[in-house]
């Protein structure tokens, strides 16, 4: 199922070269698409920050987020990942269409249920923005 969440009005900005794009507040540390600089997530939405835990898919390092902005979602399909069978949907930057990672739609193992509805973004596709010093 595709998400149709609308960002709050104060987060939406219209530009000539892009369709609608959500901008996260400048007062927060954010992550952006490394390819086009569209905002992707607020640091507060990062699940793995406390444990410094990164997720791996083969030799790709990723992080897990509660939510995201400016990210589209493809159709769900079943995949065997390192942690077992999951139904996942590829996610992509709405601005430049780069595949960023995936959304966990369903976890078949009970120990992995906490990932359902969460988003994996590969570190290679994002950059830190706003407030990182």
């Amino acid at each position: 199922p595709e998400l149709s969440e609308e960002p709050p009005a104060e987060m939406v900005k219209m530009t000539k070269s892009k369709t609608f794009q959500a901008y996260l507040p400048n007062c927060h540390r954010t992550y952006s698409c490394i390819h086009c600089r569209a905002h992707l997530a607020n640091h507060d939405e990062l699940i793995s920050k406390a444990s410094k835990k990164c997720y791996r898919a083969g030799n790709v390092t990723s992080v897990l987020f509660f939510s995201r902005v400016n990210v589209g979602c493809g159709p769900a399909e079943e995949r065997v990942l390192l942690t077992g069978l999951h139904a996942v949907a590829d996610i992509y930057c709405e601005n430049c269409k780069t595949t960023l990672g995936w959304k966990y739609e369903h976890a078949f193992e009970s120990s992995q249920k906490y990932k359902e509805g969460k988003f994996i973004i590969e570190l290679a596709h994002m950059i830190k923005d706003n407030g990182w010093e």
Side-chain angles (χ1 to χ4, degrees):
E2 188 165 319
L3 295 178
S4 59
E5 299 171 4
E6 291 292 323
E10 67 273 6
M11 290 176 52
V12 176
K13 184 175 181 180
M14 187 140 160
T15 65
K16 288 183 182 181
S17 62
K18 302 176 184 85
T19 54
F20 288 96
Q21 184 177 353
Y23 288 81
L24 296 170
N26 285 335
C27 60
H28 296 289
R29 294 182 292 172
T30 60
Y31 298 93
S32 298
C33 176
I34 198 167
H35 309 285
C36 70
R37 298 302 287 259
H39 287 178
L40 298 176
N42 185 318
H43 182 67
D44 295 340
E45 296 296 315
L46 179 63
I47 294 171
S48 51
K49 66 183 170 204
S51 64
K52 303 288 187 210
K53 182 177 181 183
C54 288
Y55 292 79
R56 298 196 65 78
N59 23 336
V60 176
T61 304
S62 309
V63 289
L64 188 64
F65 288 93
F66 283 111
S67 66
R68 79 294 170 260
V69 296
N70 301 315
V71 172
C73 200
E77 61 182 36
E78 291 183 4
R79 291 187 198 154
V80 178
L81 303 174
L82 294 175
T83 55
L85 180 63
H86 297 271
V88 298
D90 285 339
I91 59 173
Y92 57 90
C93 176
E94 286 278 6
N95 189 50
C96 69
K97 308 303 182 203
T98 299
T99 300
L100 302 169
W102 62 89
K103 177 185 179 190
Y104 287 102
E105 296 287 353
H106 179 71
F108 292 92
E109 300 195 22
S110 59
S111 66
Q112 300 300 306
K113 291 286 188 188
Y114 74 96
K115 294 179 183 175
E116 290 182 347
K118 311 292 188 310
F119 300 85
I120 284 283
I121 300 178
E122 296 174 5
L123 293 179
H125 295 298
M126 62 184 193
I127 190 169
K128 294 176 178 179
D129 263 338
N130 298 333
W132 297 91
E133 294 180 18

